[in-house]
Amino acid sequence: MTISEHLPALVVVLPLMAAPACVMLRHPFAAWLVASGTSWLCLLMSALLLRQVADHGAFSYQLGNWAAPWGIEYRIDMASAFILVIVSAIAAVVSLYARASVAHEIEQSRQYLFHALFVVCLSGLLGIAITGDAFNLFVFLEISSLSTYAMVALGRDRRALTAAMRYLVLGTVGATFYVIGVGLAYMMTGTLNMADLAARLPAVIHTSTAQAGLAFLVIGIGLKMAAFPLHFWLPDAYAHAPSAASAFLAGTATKVAVYAFLRMVVGVFGATGILAVAAMADMLMVVAVLGMVVGSAVAIWQTDIRRALAYSSVAQIGYVLLGISLLTEAGLAAGIVHLFNHAVMKSALFLALGSVFLRLGSVRIADLAGIGRRMPLSMAAFLVAGLSMIGVPLTVGFVSKWYLVEAILHKGLWPVAVLVLLSSLLAVVYVWRVVEVMWFAKPSALALTAVEAPLSMLVPTWMLAGAAVWFGVDATGTMAVARAAAAVLMTGVGQ
Amino acid sequence: MEVPGLFNYWMVVVLMMAGLYTVIARGNLVKKIVGLNVFQISVFVLYITMGKITGGTAPILGGGLALYSNPLPHVLILTAIVVGVATTALGLALIVRIREAYGTIEEDEILDMERGET
C-alpha cells in the first residue's frame, strides 16, 4: 500500500492542509467539522504508526526521498509514536468538546479562526514528535507556538491579550535559545540529523562550544516546557485562554516540549556522558523537586481554579523531570508514562471546568459553591480526575507515582521519595479545597442558575475521566509502551 | 590577534546581549518586540558566519569551483527569518489589540489595571 508508507508525512501534512480549508470555509460549524475530522484522522494514523512500530520496530521516513544525513528524516520509534498518540488523542477528544465551548466563548465571526489555529497547532506538535532533524524540530516548535499565542489571545477577557503577549516574548526567547544551541552543535559536528549528532558529539563534547550548545538547548526547551523557574508565562496563558484551548494545551504543549527535551538532551547528548559528569542530572533533580513542591504549594492559594490547575501543571512537569533526572530506564519510563497520565487527567479537569465556565461564566472558587448538585455529571468527572491528580489507587495518577517512587527508591534517594509524597499531600489540599466547595457548600446564587452541561461537552469530559480510571486499573499497556520508549532514549546513555 | 577574524562572533554577542536586555528591561511592548528582533538577528548572523570560508565563493554547480561557503546555514536562516517575521507580525498585532483594550502599551500601566480586576 502506498498510503500507509506515507503515514509519517500525512500525519503532519493533513492538519496543516486542514487549516487553510477552515479559513476558506469561514462557517463555524463547517470549520469545526474539518478540524474535528482531521484530529480523529490523525489519531487513527498515529495509532497505526504505533502498531507498526510495535510490530516491526522503529523505522525512518525520508522526506522527499532525500537520504538521511542531508535530507530531513522522520524517525518513528516507540517514544515518538507514543507522543503522537497522546497528542492526537487529546486533540481528538477536545475537538469534540470545542464546538459548543467555542460557540459560547468566542464571537461568531472569529470561531472559524479558532478551529484553524487548533489544527495548525496540532500539526506543529505532531511534527515535533515525529521529526528526526534538530532544525526541523525548531520549525515545528514555532508552528505550534505561534498558533498557541493566537489561540490564547482569542480568550474573552482582555487579560488574554497580555497573557498571549507574555507567552509570545518568553516563548520566542526559548525558541531562539534552542536555535543557538542547535547552531553551536552544528558548528562542531556539521550535521543536524539527531542520530548523526548523537554519533558525532562524543568526539567534540570536551569543547566549550558543544557544552555551551547543550546549555542553550536546556534553557530553551526548559522555557517551552515551563520547567520550574521558567514557568511564568504558563498560569496566565492557561487561565485566560478559551476553555477548549486550555484543555488542549494543558494536555499536549508542555508534554511535547518535554519530549523535545528527552530527544535532544537525553537522546542526543546522553551518549556523550556529560549528563552524569557535569552534575547536570543533579541540577535537573533540584529544579524538578523545587517545581514539584513550589508548584503544588502555590496552587493552593489560587482563587481562580484554572490558575490553580496551571500551577499544578508546573508541579507535574517536575514529576516528569524528576523521573528523567534519575538517568535510569525505570525513572525515564515513569516520567514518560506520567506524560500520558497527566495529559489525560489534566485535560479532563480543564474540560470539566470549561463546562462550568459555559454555565456560570466564572471559574472563581467562590462562585462554584454547591455546583456539584447542579451539574453532577461534569463535577463527578472533575472529582475522578482530581482524585487521580492526588494519586489515589485505581487512577492513572497512582500508577505514575508508584513507578516514580519505585525508581527513586531503587537509587536509594529516599528523601526525594518523601518530597514526592509531600507534593502529593499538597495536591490533596488544592484538589480537595475545590471539591469541598463544589459538593458540600451551600449553592451560591450564581450556581443555582446552572444546569448540566450539554452532551457534546459531557461525553468528551467523561472519555478522559474514564481513561484516567481505565488506564489506572490496567496500566500494563501504557507501561509497556513507556518502558520501550525509555529503552530507545536510553540507548546512548548506558546504565 | 584573532579578534579581526572573530569580529562577527563578537558582534553576535553584542547584539544578543543588547536584544535580550531590551526584552527584559523595557516596559514598552513595541520596544520589547524590537529587542526580540535584535536578539533573533544576532542568531542569524551567528549561523551565516559559521558557514563562511575565507576566500570561498557561492556554491554553484559546475564552473570548477573548489572552495565554497557552506550553503546549509543560509537556507536554515531563510527559514528562521520567516519564523521571525511571523512572530513579529503576531506580536505587533497583539500590541494593537492590547492598545485597543487597555489604551496603553506600557507594561507597568497594564499590570496596574490588571491588579484591580482579578
Side-chain angles (χ1 to χ4, degrees):
Chain A
M1 261 297 277
T2 44
I3 287 281
S4 68
E5 273 172 30
H6 293 293
L7 276 184
L10 280 174
V11 80
V12 178
V13 171
L14 190 76
L16 203 58
M17 301 307 287
C22 286
V23 174
M24 280 188 284
L25 285 170
R26 281 189 165 259
H27 188 271
F29 182 76
W32 168 77
L33 208 60
V34 170
S36 187
T38 309
S39 307
W40 281 95
L41 269 176
C42 283
L43 175 58
L44 177 71
M45 290 191 281
S46 306
L48 286 174
L49 285 171
L50 181 65
R51 212 181 62 184
Q52 205 170 333
V53 175
D55 290 348
H56 307 293
F59 61 99
S60 294
Y61 178 84
Q62 317 290 355
L63 214 60
N65 257 339
W66 294 91
W70 294 281
I72 291 169
E73 178 193 23
Y74 280 5
R75 179 85 187 151
I76 303 98
D77 53 29
M78 259 319 184
S80 49
F82 192 39
I83 300 292
L84 285 179
V85 171
I86 296 175
V87 171
S88 51
I90 299 288
V93 174
V94 172
S95 74
L96 286 183
Y97 178 96
R99 191 184 57 82
S101 176
V102 166
H104 176 255
E105 287 182 30
I106 300 173
E107 62 220 72
Q108 176 102 25
S109 60
R110 287 204 182 124
Q111 284 169 16
Y112 72 97
L113 287 173
F114 176 89
H115 298 300
L117 290 167
F118 183 86
V119 278
V120 176
C121 187
L122 174 63
S123 164
L125 295 172
L126 293 174
I128 296 171
I130 209 168
T131 188
D133 185 278
F135 197 83
N136 199 227
L137 197 153
F138 159 72
V139 176
F140 281 124
L141 201 62
E142 282 304 72
I143 289 177
S144 65
S145 299
L146 283 167
S147 48
T148 307
Y149 310 146
M151 250 197 294
V152 171
L154 280 173
R156 259 202 334 190
D157 200 323
R158 67 177 179 177
R159 279 171 294 173
L161 296 170
T162 42
M165 187 70 201
R166 203 164 299 142
Y167 189 7
L168 180 135
V169 170
L170 286 176
T172 306
V173 170
T176 310
F177 266 59
Y178 176 85
V179 186
I180 298 171
V182 170
L184 295 178
Y186 176 74
M187 219 171 187
M188 297 312 295
T189 58
T191 181
L192 290 165
N193 182 285
M194 288 182 196
D196 232 18
L197 273 172
R200 293 190 197 186
L201 271 172
V204 293
I205 194 65
H206 61 275
T207 60
S208 54
T209 312
Q211 288 170 9
L214 176 62
F216 275 112
L217 283 177
V218 170
I219 301 295
I221 304 175
L223 260 168
K224 287 281 183 191
M225 66 183 172
F228 166 59
L230 306 169
H231 65 274
F232 288 100
W233 56 266
L234 184 132
D236 277 333
Y238 285 11
H240 300 302
S243 300
S246 304
F248 178 53
L249 297 174
T252 56
T254 47
K255 311 294 168 299
V256 169
V258 172
Y259 168 81
F261 183 85
L262 281 169
R263 267 286 161 218
M264 291 304 294
V265 177
V266 180
V268 171
F269 276 86
T272 61
I274 194 172
L275 300 183
V277 173
M280 247 206 63
D282 295 341
M283 285 193 269
L284 194 61
M285 187 177 288
V286 172
V287 167
V289 170
L290 276 175
M292 218 165 68
V293 176
V294 175
S296 300
V298 175
I300 295 174
W301 304 108
Q302 302 303 316
T303 49
D304 182 316
I305 301 173
R306 277 199 296 205
R307 192 177 270 273
L309 291 182
Y311 276 108
S312 141
S313 275
V314 175
Q316 304 292 323
I317 292 295
Y319 287 121
V320 178
L321 288 181
L322 182 58
I324 298 170
S325 71
L326 296 173
L327 284 182
T328 62
E329 214 170 294
L332 214 54
I336 292 171
V337 84
H338 193 53
L339 287 182
F340 172 80
N341 293 345
H342 177 242
V344 168
M345 56 196 184
K346 190 50 74 62
S347 292
L349 286 172
F350 270 109
L351 289 185
L353 272 187
S355 300
V356 173
F357 193 75
L358 177 82
R359 292 302 187 217
L360 297 186
S362 161
V363 286
R364 285 158 54 83
I365 193 156
D367 296 331
L368 261 65
I371 191 75
R373 276 173 256 175
R374 307 295 307 175
M375 305 173 71
L377 291 172
S378 301
M379 291 307 100
F382 188 93
L383 181 64
V384 169
L387 290 176
S388 175
M389 205 54 131
I390 297 168
V392 172
L394 296 183
T395 61
V396 284
F398 177 72
V399 173
S400 358
K401 276 178 194 157
W402 176 270
Y403 285 106
L404 183 60
V405 170
E406 196 181 68
I408 292 167
L409 290 179
H410 190 69
K411 280 204 107 181
L413 295 164
W414 61 267
V416 179
V418 170
L419 285 168
V420 170
L421 296 181
L422 173 75
S423 167
S424 300
L425 285 179
L426 293 173
V428 173
V429 179
Y430 70 69
V431 170
W432 201 254
R433 195 176 67 112
V434 179
V435 169
E436 195 186 343
V437 169
M438 279 176 173
W439 289 93
F440 302 120
K442 225 166 82 93
S444 65
L446 192 60
L448 280 173
T449 63
V451 289
E452 189 55 84
L455 208 58
S456 71
M457 291 167 82
L458 262 182
V459 172
T461 312
W462 268 103
M463 279 167 113
L464 290 177
V469 175
W470 179 274
F471 291 105
V473 173
D474 178 16
T476 44
T478 45
M479 263 325 277
V481 175
R483 285 212 183 90
V488 169
L489 291 164
M490 287 293 286
T491 39
V493 180
Q495 295 291 316
Chain B
M1 269 304 278
E2 273 201 294
V3 174
L6 293 176
F7 176 74
N8 272 20
Y9 290 110
W10 283 111
M11 286 324 291
V12 167
V13 173
V14 170
L15 282 175
M16 201 179 276
M17 292 307 117
L20 206 51
Y21 178 79
T22 313
V23 173
I24 297 166
R26 294 291 152 202
N28 185 304
L29 294 178
V30 173
K31 286 184 183 167
K32 260 190 201 302
I33 292 292
V34 172
L36 211 53
N37 268 302
V38 173
F39 179 53
Q40 286 180 314
I41 283 164
S42 76
V43 182
F44 302 165
V45 178
L46 172 73
Y47 266 74
I48 292 164
T49 307
M50 74 172 90
K52 172 70 182 168
I53 291 174
T54 314
T57 56
I60 298 166
L61 200 62
L65 297 171
L67 199 63
Y68 55 84
S69 295
N70 184 353
L72 184 67
H74 296 91
V75 181
L76 297 181
I77 286 320
L78 276 180
T79 314
I81 288 171
V82 174
V83 172
V85 169
T87 312
T88 309
L90 182 58
L92 292 176
L94 277 176
I95 293 172
V96 170
R97 294 218 23 223
I98 286 175
R99 158 94 202 195
E100 282 169 7
Y102 289 85
T104 176
I105 55 167
E106 293 294 333
E107 203 177 32
D108 45 354
E109 290 173 23
I110 294 170
L111 280 174
D112 281 344
M113 280 185 232
E114 283 188 348
R115 219 161 273 144
E117 279 174 35
T118 54

